[in-house]
Amino acid sequence: MPLPVKDILKMIADNTKKYGMPFPMPKEVIYKWADGLDLPKGGDTVLFTGLLYQMIPYINASIKYLESVEESKYLSVLMKAGGIVSVISKLLLRVSEEELKEQYEVLRGIAILLKKTGTQFGYLYENDMYSGALLYDMGLDNDFREYAVMVYNKLKSLGVRTLITIDPHTTYMMREVYKNIIPGYDLMVKNYFEILTNSSIEPTKILKESATLHDPCYYARYLKIIDEPRRLLEKGGINIMEPERNKELTFCCGGPIESITPGLSKRVAQLRVSELSIANKNIITMCPICYANLSRVKPKDVAVKDVSHYLYTIYR
């Protein structure tokens, strides 16, 4: 039975306005990953995580529930029993520490590598923010515009001039979309692949492994960040086995429709995992949304890892 899309979109918009994120999570989850790294607070250049990696365990919990509701014959009863939205809010309080730790390691690895390049940057801690990408993706234009202006004004008030981004959605929003809707937008946006590639960082360990690479659509089609991750991985000994559909012609991971049609999203992700695993059973992702969608459907003999795990092992 189809999910109540209007209610879910309203939940996403309301949560983003109220909590600064589409799926509410405890405030400390935003910045706990940075414990012990001694990153300066604030500055004119900051690591802007966009919160997507931190949100993955919460997205997984809500999608698992939505998938079960979509498959249920008793949706109308569930709705009368309190509504899907209120159930999701309770589920989000119960994500596993193991899942959170895995995402923290991604963020810590990227920050440590950036420090190793000699790049001077700070971190906003409790002021780190979500870009509003899902509002944009879902066509909630008025909500997105209002939210984007709030984010930009907050960053300006904190004295930020340059953002270092770490995922394709946040990079695209902050580099290409914000400037089209905010008059005078003047933030410079650098992606961490670009910084690593243009630095003098060298491998400290050569991995003699083969893997296939899934290009996220925003990186490959719109930002043209295609060669940078390949050069970094190959320099570290990774033999990249290209899938049939790659680079600008990459194929969808199933996102970001998983919150409104989880069944369709699952079928698309299964198709993509099948394509990628023909090339190699070690799949490297470069986007937290792609990682979540492909990981949810992968067979036991297929491994899915974020690219940062490889880069950290090679260059730390």
Side-chain angles (χ1 to χ4, degrees):
M1 182 177 287
L3 293 174
V5 173
K6 283 181 68 174
D7 289 343
I8 292 172
L9 292 179
K10 185 176 184 306
M11 175 194 73
I12 289 170
D14 290 348
N15 282 341
T16 305
K17 283 180 188 174
K18 186 174 181 180
Y19 303 108
M21 56 195 89
F23 301 95
M25 56 188 185
K27 191 75 176 174
E28 64 270 19
V29 170
I30 292 174
Y31 54 83
K32 197 173 177 183
W33 66 270
D35 284 354
L37 291 180
D38 295 325
L39 300 178
K41 187 167 186 177
D44 63 5
T45 299
V46 297
L47 178 58
F48 187 74
T49 72
L51 312 190
L52 283 184
Y53 280 103
Q54 296 95 314
M55 269 191 261
I56 288 304
Y58 299 88
I59 293 174
N60 283 340
S62 58
I63 301 309
K64 186 176 180 182
Y65 171 69
L66 289 170
E67 199 172 70
S68 69
V69 172
E70 188 180 46
E71 292 170 354
S72 171
K73 296 177 181 178
Y74 306 106
L75 178 63
S76 59
V77 176
L78 287 167
M79 292 299 291
K80 287 176 184 174
I84 290 174
V85 172
S86 64
V87 175
I88 286 177
S89 298
K90 293 172 185 171
L91 280 173
L92 296 183
L93 300 174
R94 293 182 288 183
V95 303
S96 77
E97 284 295 320
E98 188 177 339
E99 276 190 281
L100 276 174
K101 186 179 176 184
E102 184 181 357
Q103 300 310 314
Y104 289 170
E105 289 303 313
V106 169
L107 297 164
R108 292 176 65 84
I110 292 170
I112 289 169
L113 292 181
L114 286 168
K115 287 174 75 172
K116 194 170 180 183
T117 66
T119 304
Q120 300 297 312
F121 66 94
Y123 181 53
L124 297 174
Y125 293 89
E126 70 274 14
N127 291 316
D128 196 6
M129 283 176 276
Y130 175 57
S131 70
L134 194 54
L135 298 176
Y136 177 81
D137 289 340
M138 292 294 168
L140 301 168
D141 294 344
N142 292 334
D143 296 299
F144 173 70
R145 187 184 303 275
E146 181 182 334
Y147 181 76
V149 170
M150 185 281 293
V151 170
Y152 177 66
N153 288 339
K154 182 75 177 289
L155 290 171
K156 295 296 287 184
S157 73
L158 294 169
V160 175
R161 300 173 64 183
T162 301
L163 302 175
I164 299 174
T165 54
I166 61 173
D167 74 80
H169 294 268
T170 304
T171 305
Y172 184 67
M173 292 300 115
M174 306 310 294
R175 182 181 289 180
E176 302 294 336
V177 179
Y178 272 41
K179 71 181 182 183
N180 292 326
I181 61 172
I182 301 175
Y185 182 80
D186 60 355
L187 294 176
M188 180 177 289
V189 180
K190 297 179 180 178
N191 180 268
Y192 87 103
F193 284 134
E194 297 164 338
I195 293 174
L196 295 182
T197 304
N198 293 325
S199 76
S200 58
I201 194 169
E202 291 291 334
T204 57
K205 185 174 185 179
I206 300 298
L207 300 177
K208 295 179 180 178
E209 297 181 20
S210 294
T212 190
L213 194 59
H214 169 68
D215 290 282
C217 51
Y218 278 131
Y219 271 161
R221 292 184 184 147
Y222 306 119
L223 295 163
K224 307 303 179 190
I225 297 177
I226 297 172
D227 295 333
E228 291 89 340
R230 286 172 168 79
R231 285 206 295 271
L232 289 164
L233 290 167
E234 287 172 346
K235 199 171 177 181
I238 302 295
N239 178 29
I240 298 175
M241 312 292 286
E242 295 287 354
E244 184 174 347
R245 289 193 271 198
N246 64 352
K247 302 180 181 178
E248 293 95 334
L249 299 178
T250 187
F251 188 70
C252 183
C253 73
I257 58 169
E258 60 271 41
S259 55
I260 54 174
T261 55
L264 176 59
S265 173
K266 184 178 182 179
R267 292 193 293 276
V268 173
Q270 286 170 331
L271 176 57
R272 184 54 174 163
V273 166
S274 175
E275 289 182 349
L276 291 163
S277 58
I278 289 172
N280 196 279
K281 291 187 182 298
N282 293 318
I283 298 172
I284 301 175
T285 57
M286 297 182 274
C287 164
I289 302 299
C290 297
Y291 171 80
N293 283 323
L294 299 183
S295 295
R296 262 197 297 275
V297 302
K298 74 171 188 63
K300 287 184 178 177
D301 63 340
V302 172
V304 179
K305 288 184 180 177
D306 187 88
V307 65
S308 65
H309 289 290
Y310 287 91
L311 297 181
Y312 182 68
T313 303
I314 292 167
Y315 293 97
R316 65 181 170 182

